[in-house]
């Protein structure tokens, strides 16, 4: 097959819906740059672009050579066509890597050792990258390896015998209420003193921000400078950032009331800068992919704590690390079992692969174990001590949930273990308990629960709409009323796996909106109406709104007809005129991906009526763990849950190999 014939074949695959227009356009771009590029390289380029759109950072050539095309999610006909075409062009190649045929191409660089090249494609360790993503992975690996191996300076942290003693005293006071069992939160704080990079991962309620607040007190207490450490708090979304700030401040206030004087909690605790989104922290430059802060203009911080790190995609992580000063500490908080970002990469999952606190035989090395013993007084059990890689030494998994020790937590654990039978049994054991399942014939059965909740799980959207009808007579009470409306709306949410169809975001939003109008709970007049909930779909720094922000449309303080969309960040109320909000969607129902970083009292998770690739263990686990008090699952059969429990999300990446 000639290059021209290959491009024609790719176009036919595009017409069949197997490839995107962008994928074929990229293959054509490669052909225009180098007319001698073989047909096999054009095919690989289109597939690499396609996988990037599915969240992968590279194309694994060996898998295609072996006839494996599961990553693409194509129908049987498409998979067969790809296998046949690939086999024809890769005949005689070793391990699926046709280096002799591709070696001299101007559009491809093989086994590059630096990112100074300009070719649009890079082949490295059997993975074909779009150069941009190879560069991101390389830079993330270089930055993290450097930070993990960066020794702390005496006086900056516990590097001397005296500092170890001080750290031990502070840790003993900060964790004085801990029981006799191994305290991984205390261990996490001790490990964070050893280098400039630390990962603290665990499920909901395991105390990640509780630990981060104590680490902040510890680092401030050990800091020898005349001024307190410059601290920044950040998260991928506005809601996650607001929750991070609230959690940190609540923990600090509690510590100050109990042991503040002995651990040195001073004015710095009241002067913490507000938590921001990562985009706001780095400073978005409109119309570009760049940020104001980068390697040439680094952030002015000594310590950066990032929550919900599972949502941070590869490109953002690369830019964040480059903007962080060499001497600053980075602490990542997140649940590695949650969904990865919609965009390419699964950075937290890659970084947490093989860690000591999950019993990895290559776990914490003897030096790390000795440090933990000296600084925290904790003795590691034998299964966690070994000869792990450098990053393992700076990773801690928190496993004891203080919030999810009931039915929701048990359901999440069963699902995360792939035990579908146990999960189904729990859901069906009691229809009016904290967790329940309803098997229904059509998506219309979602509506009664969406409006009024169910027995044992109050909620539904009636509550916030009735709150709107109780508008205060005076403008002075408006802010408190608007906050109550927003909190009431955030107590319940309908989540779904897919966007399209009657079981997806589009169909459910329309159906719920129509049902609420028929019940007299809202009056829709055009696109914008009072009570409409919306989710922002694109960052707009000029308006102060960011992708994932959720608000409710209300009339202004004096009841005028002008509509504004109100958002709640912690206790701070802000609003934007609806006429200025161009990139929003109605948010009665939202995807599980969009719900990350949020918590709702009652979650109603709707599974699609047919099997789809996005229906995975991570998606259902993330949906379950958005609920704090009640969880309801609606679907056509238990088979959907079983399929999800056994399907793990996979993101192709070379980051782990680069880190090693």
């Amino acid at each position: 097959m000639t290059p021209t014939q290959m491009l024609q074949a790719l176009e036919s695959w595009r017409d069949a819906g197997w490839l995107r227009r962008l994928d074929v356009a990229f293959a054509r771009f490669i052909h225009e740059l180098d007319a001698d590029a073989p047909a096999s390289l054009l095919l690989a380029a289109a597939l690499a672009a396609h996988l990037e759109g599915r969240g992968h950072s590279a194309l694994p050539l060996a898998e295609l050579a072996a006839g494996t095309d599961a990553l693409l999610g194509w129908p049987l006909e498409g998979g067969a066509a790809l296998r046949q075409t690939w086999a024809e062009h890769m005949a005689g190649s070793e391990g699926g890597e046709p280096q002799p045929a591709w070696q001299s191409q101007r559009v491809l660089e093989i086994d590059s050792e630096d990112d100074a090249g300009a070719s649009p494609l890079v082949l490295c360790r059997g993975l074909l990258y779009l150069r941009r993503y190879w560069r991101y992975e390389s830079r993330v690996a270089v930055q993290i390896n450097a930070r993990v191996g960066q020794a702390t300076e005496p006086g900056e942290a516990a590097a001397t015998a005296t500092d170890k003693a001080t750290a031990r005293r502070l840790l003993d006071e900060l964790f004085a209420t801990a029981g006799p069992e191994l305290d991984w939160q205390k261990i996490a704080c001790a490990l964070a003193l050893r280098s400039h990079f630390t990962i603290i991962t665990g499920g909901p309620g395991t105390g990640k921000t509780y630990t981060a607040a104590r680490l902040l007190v510890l680092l401030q207490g050990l800091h020898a400078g005349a001024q307190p450490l410059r601290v920044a708090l950040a998260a991928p979304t506005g809601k996650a950032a607001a929750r991070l700030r609230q959690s940190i401040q609540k923990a600090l206030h509690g510590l100050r009331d109990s042991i503040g004087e002995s651990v040195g909690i001073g004015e710095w605790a009241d002067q913490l800068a507000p938590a921001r989104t990562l985009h706001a922290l780095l400073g978005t430059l409109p119309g570009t992919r760049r940020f104001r802060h980068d390697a040439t203009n680094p952030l002015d911080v000594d310590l950066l704590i990032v929550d919900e790190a599972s949502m941070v995609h590869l490109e953002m992580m690369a830019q964040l690390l480059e903007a962080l000063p060499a001497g600053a500490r980075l602490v990542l908080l997140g649940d590695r079992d949650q969904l990865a970002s919609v965009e390419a990469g699964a950075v937290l999952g890659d970084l947490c692969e093989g860690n000591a606190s999950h019993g990895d035989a290559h776990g914490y090395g003897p030096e790390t174990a000795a440090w933990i013993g000296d600084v925290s007084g904790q003795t590691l059990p034998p299964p966690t001590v070994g000869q792990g890689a450098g990053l393992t030494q700076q990773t801690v998994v928190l496993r004891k949930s203080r919030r999810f020790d009931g039915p929701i937590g048990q359901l999440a654990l069963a699902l995360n273990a792939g035990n579908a039978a146990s999960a189904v049994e729990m859901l069906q054991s009691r229809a009016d308990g904290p967790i329940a399942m309803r098997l229904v014939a059509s998506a219309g059965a979602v509506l009664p629960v969406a409006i009024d909740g169910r027995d044992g799980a109050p909620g539904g959207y009636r509550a916030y709409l009735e709150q709107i009808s109780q508008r205060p007579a005076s403008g002075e009470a408006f802010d408190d009323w608007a906050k109550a409306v927003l909190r009431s709306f955030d107590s319940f949410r309908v989540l779904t796996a897919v966007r399209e169809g009657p079981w997806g975001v589009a169909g459910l939003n329309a159906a719920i909106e129509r049902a609420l109008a028929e019940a007299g709970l809202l009056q829709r007049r055009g696109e914008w109406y009072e009570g409409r909930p919306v989710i922002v779909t694109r960052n707009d720094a000029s308006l102060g709104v960011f992708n994932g922000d959720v608000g409710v449309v209300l009339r202004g303080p004096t009841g005028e007809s002008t509509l504004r969309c109100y958002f709640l960040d912690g206790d701070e109320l802000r609003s934007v005129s609806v006429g200025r909000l161009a990139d929003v969607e109605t948010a009665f129902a939202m995807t599980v991906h969009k719900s990350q970083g949020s918590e709702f009292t009652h979650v109603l998770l709707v599974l699609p009526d047919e099997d789809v690739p996005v229906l995975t263990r991570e998606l259902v686990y993330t949906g379950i763990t958005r609920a704090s008090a009640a969880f309801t699952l609606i679907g056509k059969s238990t088979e959907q849950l079983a399929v999800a429990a056994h399907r793990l999300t996979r993101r192709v990446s070379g980051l782990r190999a680069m880190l090693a």
Side-chain angles (χ1 to χ4, degrees):
M1 187 181 291
T2 66
T4 299
Q5 290 172 325
M6 178 60 77
L7 291 172
Q8 291 171 346
L10 294 176
E11 287 179 351
S12 69
W13 293 1
R14 177 202 64 198
D15 294 340
W18 305 339
L19 288 173
R20 304 173 301 171
R21 291 183 179 274
L22 178 63
D23 307 330
V24 181
F26 182 67
R28 285 198 170 278
F29 170 69
I30 296 297
H31 182 59
E32 290 170 2
L33 286 180
D34 187 352
D36 295 327
S40 60
L41 184 54
L42 302 184
L43 171 59
L47 295 176
H50 184 74
L51 282 186
E52 183 274 330
R54 297 178 67 87
H56 305 278
S57 55
L59 169 70
L61 297 179
E63 288 192 29
L64 290 178
T68 303
D69 54 13
L71 287 171
L72 298 170
W74 289 7
L76 293 177
E77 181 185 359
L82 172 60
R83 286 191 294 273
Q84 179 180 348
T85 305
W86 189 258
E88 290 174 359
H89 287 278
M90 298 299 107
S93 66
E94 183 177 350
E97 299 181 37
Q99 293 192 19
W102 294 1
Q103 187 76 48
S104 62
Q105 303 307 320
R106 296 193 298 273
V107 294
L108 174 71
E109 189 173 355
I110 297 178
D111 293 329
S112 176
E113 295 184 358
D114 60 57
D115 62 3
S119 65
L121 294 168
V122 174
L123 179 61
C124 181
R125 298 185 180 91
L127 298 176
L128 183 67
Y129 290 88
L130 308 184
R131 174 172 286 276
R132 187 154 55 94
Y133 289 94
W134 175 83
R135 182 179 290 124
Y136 293 149
E137 281 194 359
S138 300
R139 291 180 177 178
V140 167
V142 168
Q143 287 278 349
I144 290 179
N145 280 334
R147 290 179 185 281
V148 169
Q150 189 172 3
T152 53
E153 295 295 332
E156 181 190 15
T160 67
T162 302
D163 286 331
K164 279 187 178 181
T166 304
R168 175 71 178 270
R169 177 186 65 78
L170 289 171
L171 281 171
D172 286 345
E173 293 195 52
L174 289 167
F175 293 93
T177 58
E181 69 273 12
L182 202 64
D183 190 341
W184 285 105
Q185 295 176 332
K186 191 175 186 181
I187 290 171
C189 289
L191 282 182
L193 299 179
R194 295 187 76 226
S195 85
H196 287 63
F197 182 81
T198 305
I199 299 171
I200 303 174
T201 182
T206 53
K208 296 183 291 294
T209 53
Y210 170 96
T211 306
R214 280 155 176 76
L215 173 59
L216 178 54
V217 174
L218 176 65
L219 290 171
Q220 292 283 17
L222 293 168
H223 180 57
Q227 299 297 322
L229 291 170
R230 298 164 297 173
V231 178
L233 307 175
T237 67
K239 180 151 291 188
R243 287 183 59 201
L244 173 62
R245 172 64 187 268
Q246 283 181 304
S247 298
I248 293 288
Q249 289 286 21
K250 180 180 179 180
L252 290 178
H253 289 158
L255 287 170
R256 177 153 52 188
D257 292 343
S258 57
I259 57 172
E261 185 174 341
S262 62
V263 296
I265 300 180
E267 293 183 359
W268 60 264
D270 297 318
Q271 296 170 355
L272 278 179
R276 291 180 284 175
T277 65
L278 292 173
H279 284 87
L281 175 73
L282 295 177
T284 303
L285 294 176
T288 75
R289 302 178 74 97
R290 296 181 295 106
F291 293 96
R292 186 172 67 254
H293 290 289
D294 55 19
T296 61
N297 180 31
L299 294 163
D300 187 25
V301 298
D302 300 307
L303 170 64
L304 172 61
I305 298 174
V306 178
D307 198 11
E308 298 291 349
S310 64
M311 299 169 63
V312 183
H313 56 83
L314 179 61
E315 180 180 0
M316 175 59 78
M317 186 63 76
Q319 292 174 311
L320 179 68
L321 287 165
E322 293 226 324
L324 201 61
R329 297 175 185 273
L330 174 61
V331 178
L332 299 182
L333 312 175
D335 185 349
R336 73 170 196 170
D337 294 320
Q338 281 190 29
L339 282 167
S341 166
V342 174
E343 299 186 53
V347 180
L348 186 66
D350 284 337
L351 299 182
C352 291
E353 186 70 20
N355 52 74
S357 48
H358 262 93
D360 190 330
H362 301 291
Y364 296 123
E367 291 184 1
T368 305
W371 175 276
I372 290 171
D374 290 344
V375 177
S376 72
Q378 302 284 301
T379 301
L380 294 178
T384 65
V385 180
Q387 294 294 338
L391 185 57
T392 300
Q393 311 306 301
Q394 292 305 123
T395 303
V396 173
V397 179
L398 306 179
R399 310 178 85 180
K400 183 178 179 180
S401 177
R402 289 160 175 79
R403 190 195 324 156
F404 283 153
D405 55 356
I408 294 176
Q410 293 166 8
L411 177 65
L413 287 173
L415 194 285
N416 214 19
N419 192 340
S422 178
V424 170
E425 183 180 355
M426 291 181 196
L427 285 164
Q428 293 182 329
S429 63
R430 187 174 173 184
D432 61 351
I435 61 175
M437 171 187 279
R438 291 190 176 181
L439 301 180
V440 300
S442 70
V446 171
L447 300 178
V449 183
I451 295 174
D452 291 308
R454 61 169 174 82
D455 291 342
Y461 293 129
R462 179 185 297 274
Y464 95 94
L465 290 168
E466 290 181 343
Q467 184 84 35
I468 289 178
S469 68
Q470 299 169 11
R471 170 183 289 272
S474 66
E476 292 79 8
F478 177 86
D479 282 5
D480 288 341
W481 168 78
K483 290 177 183 178
V485 169
L486 287 162
R487 292 191 180 107
S488 180
F489 176 71
D490 267 348
S491 68
F492 174 81
R493 192 74 86 250
V494 176
L495 304 181
T496 181
V498 296
R499 290 191 54 81
E500 304 303 326
W503 301 82
V505 170
L508 288 172
N509 266 321
I512 293 170
E513 185 180 63
R514 187 165 53 249
L516 290 170
E518 291 172 355
L521 293 169
L522 60 82
Q523 296 180 350
R524 178 174 179 177
R525 297 186 178 93
E527 178 186 9
W528 294 101
Y529 55 89
E530 187 166 43
R532 181 191 178 193
V534 299
I535 183 169
V536 177
T537 59
R538 179 176 296 182
N539 297 326
D540 190 335
S542 64
L543 296 180
V545 296
F546 298 91
N547 186 16
D549 287 357
V550 175
V552 175
V553 176
L554 300 169
R555 289 180 289 127
T558 58
E560 69 268 18
S561 59
T562 301
L563 295 174
R564 299 183 67 83
C565 190
Y566 287 82
F567 301 88
L568 190 60
D569 291 334
D571 290 325
E572 180 183 346
L573 187 70
R574 57 189 174 87
S575 68
V576 178
S577 170
V578 298
R580 303 184 68 191
L581 287 173
D583 299 300
V584 296
E585 297 175 352
T586 301
F588 290 113
M590 58 198 295
T591 62
V592 175
H593 268 103
K594 290 288 188 180
S595 74
Q596 286 181 272
S598 299
E599 180 182 293
F600 313 104
T601 306
H602 180 192
V603 165
L604 168 57
L605 177 61
V606 182
L607 298 185
D609 61 339
E610 58 183 9
D611 186 24
V612 290
V614 298
L615 188 58
T616 63
R617 181 185 300 178
E618 291 86 354
L619 181 136
V620 178
Y621 169 82
T622 302
I624 293 170
T625 54
R626 298 311 89 206
S628 63
F631 174 78
T632 306
L633 184 72
I634 288 184
K636 293 192 74 171
S637 73
T638 60
E639 182 62 25
Q640 296 159 298
L641 184 61
V643 168
H646 293 101
R647 178 185 286 147
L648 289 169
T649 300
R650 183 191 168 202
R651 292 283 178 91
V652 176
S653 164
L655 181 57
R656 277 170 285 183
M658 292 182 183
L659 286 165

